[in-house]
Each structure stands twice: as structure tokens, then as C-alpha cells.
């Protein structure tokens, strides 16, 4: 071998070592289809909303199945499985729809309600997620059942939802919604609501577009229309989705829209004074850079923000239908954020995403999900290509699994995962760490028989736990909305900072991700720090130095109020007790400067130990590897040792 070859090999090895990333080949063991074992056998679905509705920390699932029909909402609770079932997972999903009341109508004589889009968040700041739904219609002829207005439903904390009296969001005749998303646009600690819309009648010539709506939350489950005052209603475009993120790093949430073919979309800059300005042209945000397949106008179905290149600002995955692979044709691509030095201008990039697909395929991409497959600290992608138009005979409609490499480009690994032929014509997907083991699993809606009902698949992640990770759960301080929607979490390990923002409601006809967020650490065995920037003008960022890894940690602001509460007991507390797989240690002040915790059995034998970062008020620990029985947690603090017993079921 020549000297040049050895130099190249040395560079590759050095790159792998310094990046802190394990080199792992892709194979069919990365994901297992566990759909049937968790209770989702042949469950129909269209859009997916992941959220903890009963307060047990595990993510539950709300499903919307189709449009313009009643009784299409279903709610599934994520519960412990019966050990006698012998399933691979220790969690199952149980249909809780009837008990939840989510299909209730204001008219008790009507069975069910039309709900085509929705989102879940704590709008009355009582500690549980509530629900807003709205409806969609394509043209006037489709607008049947006019009594089924947009609604607000409050949660009792256990997953039972009750209709609020007719809300202001229901008073807008024929509001044609394609997306609902929560944000705190004025940072007053009360969640507000943005509703993206389509047209008054899309079949009229010319089409009459509908402006979008912004409703200010009053903190009690009611809303006030501020669409005109905020300038949101000044532009009318037919949308197929929208997303919320802080595009320009100024602490104020901005709004990014995904337009349906006729227009190029908006990027609403939050001015910080209650108003928004559309800066799409100034910063080069558009769905219509060039034409699509055979010159067709491109339809953008999603605008999914993420800091995929770990440079501290939000980039955008623009999911497009009517795309093409030919010269001069556009397709799904990335809008790269130039950061402060470039005034946050976006640069359109098609070359970063490489897919193994026939060059003649008409591309019907309908949705996309950011997910770190192997917890190496680089976000990967799932892009869902479906039947658009329905008569597509190319046979290429499938999910694409795209792994980000060290140069921030995405390689198609679908075939090596054995998933090229099993996830056909997918419409939507959402990440869900359903078992809280630190790696993100994937829910995906597929159509195994063309033009038949779509059904759910749950793919369990088997590769992520081979790298290190940390999960972050936020507990909002005073003056911040209870879910901390809009908070920015920054995790620094190995000199690289990953950034995620908490959202509630996103994408094409809605979707939602869990509020507990996972961060892959690769082979890094320590975290330098975690910084949380809260959505508030009065709360300083929270900084946790050297937190533990491979567990979920709770981070909260306004620690002083928590200290006052705990000082009244000054005792270590373990919840839940009895436990099933996970426990949370609630630390009084005296134990917040210790370095470790140990778990011993009743004979005094140490069975597990954990490090605890300074300043944490609670620590989440997995005990799924222990056998059922009674155990004792011991922690040594400034005022001596404290212990607390718990029962593991």
C-alpha cells in the first residue's frame, strides 16, 4: 500500500475518535416491528400526536383518522404490560377513547364531533395537557355538519377531557384549519394558539384564500382573537402546515408556514411587541425556488425545524410533493440557517439529502421526522413518500431512512435496515421513546394495500442504547407556561452543543412530539453542561454542570421556591412507590451537593449506583434490571446520610 492510502486511513480513524461517535454498520437489527405486541394490531390512523395525558411521564398517543368525519379521534394510554403476556416490551397501548370523552359534542344529541387537526398542551396551567381541535374542508360542498366547530377540552389529569363552553376560536364561521400549534408569543406565561388555514373555497376560480388566526391565551382555557392586532391576518395563503421555532435566536417564537402550491409561504418574525412581520423574501424562505416534476408547482406539506448541524441555529426541512430528480427540478431539501453573521438568511440545499430512488419517480413526500437513530449526536431523518397522485404507478412510495454523516449530509440506509419494502406509502411519522429507555422509537402510518385504510406501525429502536444519552424533562418555574413550550435545551458534550426546542403541534395537518427530549452523546462519557433558556423575560437560564448520563434528569428554574417546599420535610422521597421500571429521587436541599446514590437490597448488598450532578432537585433512574422486591436508596449529603425504601413490582 502507498503512503497516501495510510494517510487517508489515519485521517478517517482520527475523525471517528475525535468526534466521539461509535462506527457502527447498519443492519436489520437496528429496528424491530413490535406493533402487535404493544396493542396496535391493524389500528387505523392518519395523524399522530404524542403526549403524556395521564401524568405518568410515559408518552401516550392521540390519533386522528381521516378528515370530515365524526368519531375519528382515538386516545391510547401507554401502560405497563401484563408480564404473563410474554411480550418483548413491558409497555402496551390501551384504547382509552370512550373513557376519555375526546369525541364529545356540545350538542348532546349528536354522536361524535368532526376533528381534523389538533394539539395538546397545558392551556390553563394546572399541570396536565389539554386539547384543542379544529376542522378542515376542501371546498364549500365538503362543509357539512356546521355545528361541529373548533373546540377546547380541559383534562382532569388522568386523561378525561371535558368540553369548555363555546370558545372564541369556534366563532369564526367555516374556519378551514390545516394546523394547530401552541406558542407563548408574548412570553407572558400563558399559552397562545396559532391556527393555519387553507381557503374559503379552494375550487373557486380564482381560489379565495383564508388568513390565519392567532389567539392569545388567557390562562384559564379561554382565548382572545389577536389575528389583526398581531398582523397575522394581513396575508392570506392556503397552507398545509406550520411550525413554531425561534428562527433568529432572539428568544421570541417565530412562525414558519408550509404553503399549498399556490404561494411560496411565510416566515413570521416575532417583533417582541405583540406583532409579527413576514420576512420570507428577506431571508430567502420559499417553497418555489424552481419547478418540480415536469415543471409542476411544488406543494410544501411540512416545514420541520431542527439544528441538525449543531451550530446553534434552527434549519428547516422543507417537505415537498410534485418534486423531481431531473436537472432544474426541485424536491424535498434543507434550508440552512446562516446564523447571526448572515442575518439568519436561509440557503436552499438539495445535495445534502441523497436517496436511492428511480430518477423517473414522481416524488410525493408528505412528511418527515428528525430522529437520532443511533444516539451518535447527529440528527438523522425519516422522509415519508406516499401516493401523490393516487395513480402513481412507479411503485416507489416508501419511507426513507437517512443517516447523517460527519459532513452533515444524509445517506440512504433504508435497504440495509431491511425497510425498503415493508413501510409502503407512509403518510406520517412521529418519534416516541415509548419505554423511556433513552433511544427514540418511531411511530409510522403506512398503507400496505394501495387505497386501503392506513394503519400504525411501531418500530422499536435497538441501536440507540449502544451509545450514551441523556433525557431532559423540564419543570417550568413561575412566569413560564407549565409545559415550558418554547424552551430551548442545549446539551454540550465533547465540545459539541446540541439544541432542541419544546413544541406542541407541528407539521402537515398536525402532529406532536413528547416533552421529554433525548440527546445522543455517542461515546462521550461526560456532559460538560446543560443550559435551558426559558420562554420568559424574567427567568434567567438554568445551567447544570456535569449532569449524569444514561438517565432522564429533571431540570427546573426558580429553584428557591422548590427549596422552600422541600425544606418543610427535608427528606429524600422516591416516586412512584410501588415502582415499575423507573423511579424518581426527589432531593431535599441537603442532598443537592452529593456525588452518588446507591440502591441496596434488604440484605445490604449494593445492586446499583448512580452519580448525581450538583444542583439537581430530582433524578430519574431506571430499575428495570432489578428483580421485584423491596429496596433502599441511600444518599450521603452535607447533613449526613438519608435513605428511603421503595417496592419494585
Amino acid at each position: 500500500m502507498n503512503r497516501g492510502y495510510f494517510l487517508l486511513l489515519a485521517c478517517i480513524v482520527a475523525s471517528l475518535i475525535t468526534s466521539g461517535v461509535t462506527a457502527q454498520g447498519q443492519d436489520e437489527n437496528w429496528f424491530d416491528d413490535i406493533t402487535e405486541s404493544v396493542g396496535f394490531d391493524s389500528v387505523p390512523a392518519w395523524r399522530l400526536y404524542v403526549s403524556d395525558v395521564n401524568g405518568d411521564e410515559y408518552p401516550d398517543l392521540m390519533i386522528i383518522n381521516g378528515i370530515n368525519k365524526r368519531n375519528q379521534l382515538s386516545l391510547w394510554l401507554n401502560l405497563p404490560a401484563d408480564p404473563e403476556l410474554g411480550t418483548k416490551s413491558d409497555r402496551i397501548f390501551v384504547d382509552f377513547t370512550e373513557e376519555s370523552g375526546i369525541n364529545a359534542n356540545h350538542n348532546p344529541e349528536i354522536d361524535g364531533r368532526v376533528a381534523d387537526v389538533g394539539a395538546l398542551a397545558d392551556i390553563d396551567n394546572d399541570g396536565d395537557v389539554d386539547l384543542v381541535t379544529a376542522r378542515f374542508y376542501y371546498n364549500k360542498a365538503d362543509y357539512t355538519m356546521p355545528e361541529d366547530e373548533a373546540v377546547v377540552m380541559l383534562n382532569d389529569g388522568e386523561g378525561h377531557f371535558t368540553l369548555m363552553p363555546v370558545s372564541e376560536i369556534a366563532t369564526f364561521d367555516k374556519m378551514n384549519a390545516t394546523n394547530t400549534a401552541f406558542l407563548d408569543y408574548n412570553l407572558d406565561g400563558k399559552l397562545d394558539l396559532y391556527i393555519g388555514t387553507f381557503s374559503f373555497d379552494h375550487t373557486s376560480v380564482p381560489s379565495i384564500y383564508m388568513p390565519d388566526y392567532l389567539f392569545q391565551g388567557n390562562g384559564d382555557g379561554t382565548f382572545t382573537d389577536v389575528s389583526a392586532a398581531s398582523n397575522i391576518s394581513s396575508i392570506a395563503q392556503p397552507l398545509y402546515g406550520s411550525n413554531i421555532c425561534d428562527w433568529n435566536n432572539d428568544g421570541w417564537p417565530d412562525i414558519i408556514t408550509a404553503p399549498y402550491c399556490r404561494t411560496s409561504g411565510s416566515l413570521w418574525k416575532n417583533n417582541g411587541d405583540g406583532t409579527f412581520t413576514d420576512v420570507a423574501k428577506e431571508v430567502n424562505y420559499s417553497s418555489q425556488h424552481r419547478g418540480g416534476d415536469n415543471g409542476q408547482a411544488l406543494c410544501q406539506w411540512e416545514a420541520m425545524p431542527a439544528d441538525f448541524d449543531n451550530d446553534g441555529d434552527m434549519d428547516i426541512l422543507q417537505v415537498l410533493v410534485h418534486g423531481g430528480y431531473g436537472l432544474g427540478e426541485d424536491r424535498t431539501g434543507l434550508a440552512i440557517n446562516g446564523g447571526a453573521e448572515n442575518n439568519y438568511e436561509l440557503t436552499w440545499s438539495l445535495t445534502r439529502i441523497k436517496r436511492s430512488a428511480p430518477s423517473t419517480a414522481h416524488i410525493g413526500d408528505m412528511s418527515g421526522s428528525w430522529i437520532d437513530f443511533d444516539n451518535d449526536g447527529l440528527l438523522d431523518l425519516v422522509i415519508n413518500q406516499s401516493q401523490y397522485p393516487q395513480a402513481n404507478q412507479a411503485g416507489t412510495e416508501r419511507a426513507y431512512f437517512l443517516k447523517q454523516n460527519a459532513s452533515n449530509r444524509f445517506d440512504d440506509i433504508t435497504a440495509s435496515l431491511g425497510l425498503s419494502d415493508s413501510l409502503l406509502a407512509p403518510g406520517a411519522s412521529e418519534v416516541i421513546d415509548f419505554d423511556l429507555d433513552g433511544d427514540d422509537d418511531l411511530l409510522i402510518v403506512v398503507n400496505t394495500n394501495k387505497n386501503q385504510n392506513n394503519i400504525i406501525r411501531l418500530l422499536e429502536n435497538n441501536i440507540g442504547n449502544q451509545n450514551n444519552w441523556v433525557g431532559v424533562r423540564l419543570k417550568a418555574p413561575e412566569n413560564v407556561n407549565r409545559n415550558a413550550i418554547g424552551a430551548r435545551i442545549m446539551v454540550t458534550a465533547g465540545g459539541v452543543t446540541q439544541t432542541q426546542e419544546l413544541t406542541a403541534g407541528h407539521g402537515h395537518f398536525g402532529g406532536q412530539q413528547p416533552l421529554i427530549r433525548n440527546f445522543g452523546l455517542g461515546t462521550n462519557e461526560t456532559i460538560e453542561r446543560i443550559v435551558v433558556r426559558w420562554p420568559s423575560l424574567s427567568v434567567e437560564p438554568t445551567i447544570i454542570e456535569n449532569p449524569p448520563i444514561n438517565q432522564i434528569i429533571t431540570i427546573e428554574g426558580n429553584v428557591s421556591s422548590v427549596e422552600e417546599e422541600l425544606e418543610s420535610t427535608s427528606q429524600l422521597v422516591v416516586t412512584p412507590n410501588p415502582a415499575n421500571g423507573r423511579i424518581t429521587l426527589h432531593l431535599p436541599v441537603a442532598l443537592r451537593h452529593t456525588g452518588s446514590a446507591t440502591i441496596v437490597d434488604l440484605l445490604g448488598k449494593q445492586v446499583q449506583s448512580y452519580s448525581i450532578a450538583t444542583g439537581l432537585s430530582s433524578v430519574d433512574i431506571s430499575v428495570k434490571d432489578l428483580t421485584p422486591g423491596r429496596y433502599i436508596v441511600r444518599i450521603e449529603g452535607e447533613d449526613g446520610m438519608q435513605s428511603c425504601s421503595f417496592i419494585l413490582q
Side-chain angles (χ1 to χ4, degrees):
M1 298 183 184
N2 60 35
R3 181 171 179 270
Y5 175 86
F6 281 112
L7 287 174
L8 176 61
L9 181 61
C11 289
I12 294 174
V13 172
S15 175
L16 288 172
I17 293 174
T18 57
S19 65
V21 174
T22 302
Q24 298 165 323
Q26 299 92 40
D27 59 47
E28 297 185 11
N29 296 316
W30 275 32
F31 290 94
D32 279 341
D33 188 335
I34 60 169
T35 306
E36 294 185 12
S37 68
V38 297
F40 281 144
D41 187 21
S42 301
V43 173
W46 190 54
R47 288 296 177 265
L48 309 170
Y49 301 80
V50 179
S51 185
D52 173 22
V53 303
N54 62 351
D56 66 354
E57 302 295 352
Y58 283 89
D60 307 303
L61 178 65
M62 187 182 78
I63 299 170
I64 293 182
N65 181 34
I67 58 174
N68 252 322
K69 296 182 295 184
R70 287 185 176 136
N71 289 313
Q72 62 190 15
L73 278 174
S74 64
L75 183 64
W76 297 74
L77 295 186
N78 181 350
L79 300 174
D82 184 345
E84 295 180 0
L85 294 178
T87 57
K88 177 178 180 180
S89 167
D90 62 354
R91 309 293 300 182
I92 59 173
F93 287 85
V94 177
D95 190 348
F96 195 67
T97 306
E98 184 174 351
E99 298 91 332
S100 71
I102 57 174
N103 284 301
N105 198 300
H106 277 124
N107 185 343
E109 297 181 0
I110 296 176
D111 179 23
R113 183 182 78 256
V114 176
D116 301 316
V117 298
L120 296 126
D122 188 356
I123 59 178
D124 57 357
N125 280 335
D126 67 348
D128 51 50
V129 296
D130 309 300
L131 172 65
V132 170
T133 69
R135 58 173 304 182
F136 167 80
Y137 60 93
Y138 192 77
N139 56 51
K140 288 181 180 179
D142 294 331
Y143 190 77
T144 58
M145 301 174 283
E147 62 274 16
D148 292 359
E149 70 278 353
V151 303
V152 177
M153 305 190 82
L154 298 184
N155 186 356
D156 69 351
E158 297 180 351
H160 304 102
F161 291 85
T162 303
L163 282 167
M164 287 278 290
V166 175
S167 170
E168 181 156 359
I169 68 172
T171 62
F172 294 88
D173 186 35
K174 297 183 179 180
M175 181 171 63
N176 192 1
T178 56
N179 174 257
T180 54
F182 289 106
L183 72 164
D184 185 359
Y185 84 98
N186 55 0
L187 302 183
D188 66 350
K190 303 170 185 177
L191 281 180
D192 313 304
L193 177 67
Y194 175 82
I195 299 183
T197 66
F198 198 56
S199 302
F200 287 102
D201 185 353
H202 207 67
T203 60
S204 63
V205 182
S207 297
I208 304 173
Y209 306 146
M210 182 177 288
D212 301 329
Y213 295 91
L214 180 64
F215 296 96
Q216 180 175 316
N218 300 317
D220 59 358
T222 64
F223 294 89
T224 301
D225 179 29
V226 292
S227 307
S230 64
N231 201 40
I232 289 295
S233 63
S234 64
I235 296 177
Q237 299 186 61
L239 302 185
Y240 251 22
S242 61
N243 280 77
I244 312 297
C245 80
D246 180 8
W247 145 79
N248 61 349
N249 291 357
D250 64 355
W252 296 88
D254 309 302
I255 302 169
I256 306 170
T257 70
Y260 179 78
C261 300
R262 309 294 192 268
T263 58
S264 57
S266 296
L267 198 164
W268 289 105
K269 174 187 174 183
N270 190 331
N271 298 317
D273 59 1
T275 68
F276 290 80
T277 301
D278 183 8
V279 297
K281 291 184 179 180
E282 297 174 30
V283 302
N284 194 37
Y285 177 70
S286 175
S287 67
Q288 303 291 334
H289 291 276
R290 299 178 299 187
D293 184 26
N294 294 316
Q296 295 186 80
L298 292 163
C299 298
Q300 184 166 319
W301 285 39
E302 287 192 338
M304 302 295 285
D307 181 18
F308 80 93
D309 50 7
N310 294 333
D311 66 351
D313 47 50
M314 291 295 166
D315 313 293
I316 305 169
L317 172 69
Q318 294 183 255
V319 180
L320 303 167
V321 301
H322 296 315
Y325 287 107
L327 294 175
E329 293 179 336
D330 280 342
R331 55 194 173 274
T332 294
L334 295 168
I336 312 298
N337 195 325
E341 60 272 24
N342 295 297
N343 297 316
Y344 300 98
E345 184 174 342
L346 301 170
T347 301
W348 176 265
S349 174
L350 294 179
T351 59
R352 289 178 182 258
I353 298 176
K354 297 181 180 179
R355 285 189 277 180
S356 300
S359 60
T360 57
H362 178 92
I363 307 173
D365 294 336
M366 293 191 176
S367 65
S369 293
W370 294 101
I371 173 174
D372 185 353
F373 298 146
D374 56 352
N375 274 345
D376 66 350
L378 293 173
L379 285 176
D380 309 307
L381 271 174
V382 175
I383 295 178
N384 301 310
Q385 180 187 100
S386 197
Q387 299 162 245
Y388 199 91
Q390 296 291 328
N392 186 358
Q393 300 296 315
T396 61
E397 307 94 347
R398 60 178 181 264
Y400 289 85
F401 286 66
L402 306 163
K403 178 137 184 24
Q404 186 177 175
N405 59 38
S407 61
N408 302 124
R409 298 178 182 274
F410 295 83
D411 300 316
D412 190 347
I413 63 170
T414 315
S416 61
L417 298 181
L419 297 173
S420 295
D421 301 319
S422 58
L423 303 174
L424 303 179
S429 60
E430 292 294 340
V431 298
I432 176 173
D433 183 4
F434 80 100
D435 49 4
L436 297 184
D437 66 349
D439 50 36
D440 283 330
D441 313 295
L442 186 72
L443 283 165
I444 187 166
V445 176
V446 300
N447 190 331
T448 54
N449 297 306
K450 285 192 176 184
N451 301 318
Q452 301 300 312
N453 287 335
N454 296 326
I455 59 175
I456 290 178
R457 287 279 182 251
L458 175 56
L459 302 183
E460 184 179 27
N461 188 332
N462 297 320
I463 191 66
N465 59 18
Q466 295 188 25
N467 274 324
N468 294 320
W469 60 278
V470 67
V472 177
R473 177 200 294 115
L474 298 185
K475 185 175 180 180
E478 294 180 8
N479 303 318
V480 173
N481 69 84
R482 287 290 291 270
N483 290 148
I485 301 302
R488 177 171 283 197
I489 307 168
M490 293 158 279
V491 176
T492 302
V496 175
T497 299
Q498 299 177 61
T499 302
Q500 295 188 40
E501 290 185 3
L502 290 193
T503 60
H506 64 242
H508 171 59
F509 278 89
Q512 191 152 331
Q513 296 179 356
L515 294 179
I516 296 177
R517 293 300 179 88
N518 289 333
F519 293 79
L521 304 175
T523 57
N524 290 302
E525 296 183 353
T526 59
I527 299 173
E528 285 97 280
R529 73 191 60 84
I530 299 178
V531 179
V532 178
R533 190 194 70 186
W534 303 96
S536 172
L537 295 175
S538 59
V539 179
E540 292 296 319
T542 299
I543 302 174
I544 303 295
E545 301 284 353
N546 302 312
I549 65 172
N550 296 332
Q551 63 188 63
I552 299 171
I553 64 174
T554 299
I555 298 177
E556 55 187 311
N558 198 18
V559 174
S560 59
S561 64
V562 179
E563 289 177 350
E564 291 173 3
E565 177 182 345
L566 288 176
E567 281 175 349
S568 64
T569 61
S570 300
Q571 293 297 313
L572 171 67
V573 177
V574 176
T575 60
N577 192 1
N580 188 330
R582 306 192 74 82
I583 59 174
T584 298
L585 309 183
H586 301 274
L587 309 177
V589 176
L591 297 181
R592 295 187 185 178
H593 304 285
T594 186
S596 64
T598 58
I599 297 178
V600 299
D601 61 20
L602 292 183
L603 297 177
K605 179 183 178 181
Q606 179 176 316
V607 291
Q608 289 187 180
S609 64
Y610 300 90
S611 61
I612 299 177
T614 298
L616 291 180
S617 62
S618 62
V619 179
D620 191 89
I621 291 177
S622 171
V623 290
K624 65 180 181 179
D625 294 331
L626 300 181
T627 57
R630 184 180 293 273
Y631 294 90
I632 298 173
V633 179
R634 292 176 177 170
I635 302 179
E636 291 192 17
E638 293 180 342
D639 297 331
M641 184 183 73
Q642 286 198 23
S643 62
C644 182
S645 66
F646 70 95
I647 297 173
L648 179 62
Q649 293 179 332

